[in-house]
Amino acid sequence: MIWTTADTWLLVVGITAAVCCALPGTFLVLRRVSLLGDAISHAVLPGLVAAFLLTGERSSLPMFIGAVVAGVLTALLTESVRRVGNVEEGASIGVVFTSLFAIGLILLHIYGRRIDLDPGCVLYGLIEGTPDDLVSILGFNVPRVLVPLAVVFALNAGVIALLFKELRLSSFDPALSTSLGVNAGVMHHLLMTLTAITAVAVFEAVGSIIVVAMLVVPAAAAHLLTDRLGRTVVLAAVIAAVAAALGQVSAVALPGLLDIRFGPDGTPIRSVGIAGSIAVASGVLLLLAFLFSPTHGLVVRLIDRKRLARRMAREDLLLSISRLEELQARPTFDSVADLTGDPKPAVERIAAECVRLGLIRVDAGTLALTELGRTTATQLLRSHRLWESYLADRAAVPADHTHATAHRLEHVDLAEKLDEELGRPAVDPQNKPIPRSES
Amino acid sequence: MLETILDMLWPDSHNTRVVLLGCCALGVAAGVVGTFLQLRKRTLLADVVSHAALPGVAGAFLLAAAFGLDGRSLAWLLPGAAATGLLGVIVVGLLDRHSRLKPDAAMASVLGVFFGAGVVLLSVIQQIPSGSRAGLDSFIFGKASSMLTRDAWTVAIVAAVIVLVCVCLFKELRLLCFDDAFASNVGLRVGLLDLILLLLATLVAVVGLQSVGLILVVAMLVIPPAAARFWTQQLRPTLAIAALVGAIASFAGVVASSLHAQLPSGPAIVLAAAICFAFSMLFGSTRGVLILGVRRHLLARRVRREHMLRRIVELRDSQTNRESLETFAFTATQLADAGLRDHAAVNAAVRRGFIRREGDSNLRLTELGIEAARRATRNHRLWELFLMRHADVAADHVDRSADAVEHVLDPKLVEELSRELEHEDEDIPPSPHPLAPGGGR
């Protein structure tokens, strides 16, 4: 396919819109009011339509004022419904935004033709049309929608940069924040106002419904990738930009590349809606973050858990061998399997790993510890007996119960701390000697 | 005029009658299910279901069109909607349980992404010859007038079944909503009940697509139960009122939309529901703004009167010759000196028969006034004693704290307090703290 200037402008518009949304969106996710963001993006509709009706034109300033009014109204009405009626939070939000949205839709259907606003366009946006609507800035022809988008981007970035500390404090500890002079309620309304303004700026590109995806999804993905707030904001913006680019390119290029044809007469599908594709692309990125985030990803956590299980199995094997030696029994696969109650193939598998790591030797069916293996086993025994002492001494666990718990806890290396805490004991509750530390 | 009204209430066309029936039935079902959802604090999950239904609707249409069939019948679209709607909820659950995303972020994300996928499929539909989006738009905004009689019957029957299930499971659902820990202790399968509730909500959302439209169907689950909260606090009346509001709103919305061609039924129904809500919030008999204001005003008036009566007693107590209340006469000036400058309260008390005027400036308590004064002062002083003895409040702090609670004391509580403080036989216990000259603070 051929890449034209129009496509480049589409890319720029899409990326700018997405990044605009991701900035306040990070705080919406953080403060657990994502659904309030959803509500506001729906509720700005009547504000917009009213602004159009009153001013008779599609210029930005009345639109934004209408949006701000609608946004603030939503938050205030929600609060009053909740307070006066004792209605739970989700329901209060639901009542207010659906009513406002219905009013907006009705106004749109009745007067839409007069102000050249199509309900479909309002809902899904028509980003595809934006490169045709150019305006001249400093001698360059840029899409008209970029102007409010750029302004809002600067606004969002500016507010977040300037008030970062205040936003952070009021997000994590509203009570402390208010007592220190940063009124948490004011911060909340500021955030809602920014969201409303952003929703308006972006609606012409992606429509009012998909704004929700752009506000929340990149921010949620960023939240899964890092723990620091500053990085989350930046990462959310980056992910949003990537989603926008990915979405647009896939929407325009993929159907052609894959030569998708439809139906009995093979109608070719040339391209799909860009706004929707951006939302889907951001969803894909969220899924990737959910699965593969190095710190919080599901797949990563499963792998970590498996690794831990294997380490614990290896350490258990070492201890079993050493116990069998203490009891003067010959450590074989069978005797270890008997001692631990694990199936023999499992023992064989773990033993192979231990051999590979140089922890044990297998001579004619007998398992023996190497130098390294013996050191490790001794440390484990020390940990186990110290845990038993701690449980008996400080946690009031009866003597016949300490072993099972210590058997699991021994893999957690807190030996030094335990030793110190217990006053360097020489024997455990069963009067068995506690090995000394190697270091 | 009468004819048009009658025509609205009982339309001539059979199709319109059935459509009205179906939509009203849906309104009832939505009100009932929505009440339980709200008690279970899961209302916005219905929003997820309805938005996530879009790819199912569009996808089912495409699937039908791929085989050359007409995709617009409910038989295709409803299962599609239900499938993706439920899938969306499952994904929300997974995201919530297996990651550190909070439920609200998970819901908003699924909502947005699934809806985006639906929009993508809609754009595909626009490009195929048999696809005119106008047909599907009626599922997004709602267009009851284009419902076939067959479809309207389907809606009515499904709605009736939903209500029937709720009635049969009423006891279980009630327990689930109010105390799920106890419910699971007595053997109720809480997980299963939650799933059933979710399925019912999904059914409502999916079956309501045609009349209310996808975006606003959640309103039918949210607004009627919320409106009911202003009329009652009990479950059965709430269910009834929510059902009623749902039915009225559906009726009004469908009729309004049939009279104005450009008005889609979805927003019209929701607007009607919103008007019912606003009415309930203002005039509701239990928690309406009006009734709360009236109650507050009445309470404030009683408080003022009781304060005044107590001051009169204290004035009497502070005199050197302690007369009985029956003979005690005082003037407005004396009251003013004692700190009570509220002439309006005095006049109101005269009007209501608590005080009578004698001559130019003398005032005296009537029998009614004496009774009320004794009661108010006794409560006040008993509370003071209680606070001093049992709540470690220093004597000079007591008057202020006592002021606030004495007016809402339950007679039984007062009995208890008197017994405890061994002042039962005294009609008005003496003030436990020294009165400032001319009456208390």
Side-chain angles (χ1 to χ4, degrees), chain B residues 86-121:
Chain B
L86 280 177
L87 180 65
V89 174
I90 292 174
V91 172
V92 169
L94 286 176
L95 277 178
D96 180 25
R97 209 171 317 138
H98 294 289
S99 81
R100 67 174 188 170
L101 279 185
K102 298 294 179 298
D104 68 300
M107 282 198 273
S109 304
V110 168
L111 204 154
V113 172
F114 273 62
F115 195 81
V119 168
V120 167
L121 290 177

Side-chain angles (χ1 to χ4, degrees), chain A residues 311-329:
Chain A
R311 174 168 77 91
M312 284 169 63
R314 286 198 302 270
E315 292 178 352
D316 282 343
L317 179 65
L318 295 180
L319 273 182
S320 304
I321 295 176
S322 120
R323 279 209 186 91
L324 285 169
E325 286 177 358
E326 235 177 61
L327 295 171
Q328 254 115 36

Side-chain angles (χ1 to χ4, degrees), chain B residues 371-384:
Chain B
E371 178 57 43
R374 282 210 177 107
R375 203 174 43 234
T377 313
R378 185 158 169 267
N379 285 353
H380 179 99
R381 290 186 179 166
L382 284 172
W383 258 120
E384 284 182 327

Side-chain angles (χ1 to χ4, degrees), chain A residues 34 86 223 227 271 273 301, chain B residues 98 100 104 123 127 229 287:
Chain A
S34 323
N86 201 21
H223 190 50
D227 291 330
S271 68
R301 276 186 292 145
Chain B
H98 294 289
R100 67 174 188 170
D104 68 300
S123 67
Q127 296 176 52
R229 302 282 281 168
R287 287 192 71 97

Side-chain angles (χ1 to χ4, degrees), chain B residues 23-37 159 162-163 200-201 204-205 208 212 217-225 239 242-243 246-247 250:
Chain B
C23 292
C24 288
L26 181 72
V28 169
V32 169
V33 173
T35 306
F36 289 117
L37 268 185
I162 291 175
V163 175
L200 289 175
V204 168
V212 197
V217 72
V218 68
M220 295 315 290
L221 285 162
V222 174
I223 299 183
L239 286 168
S250 302

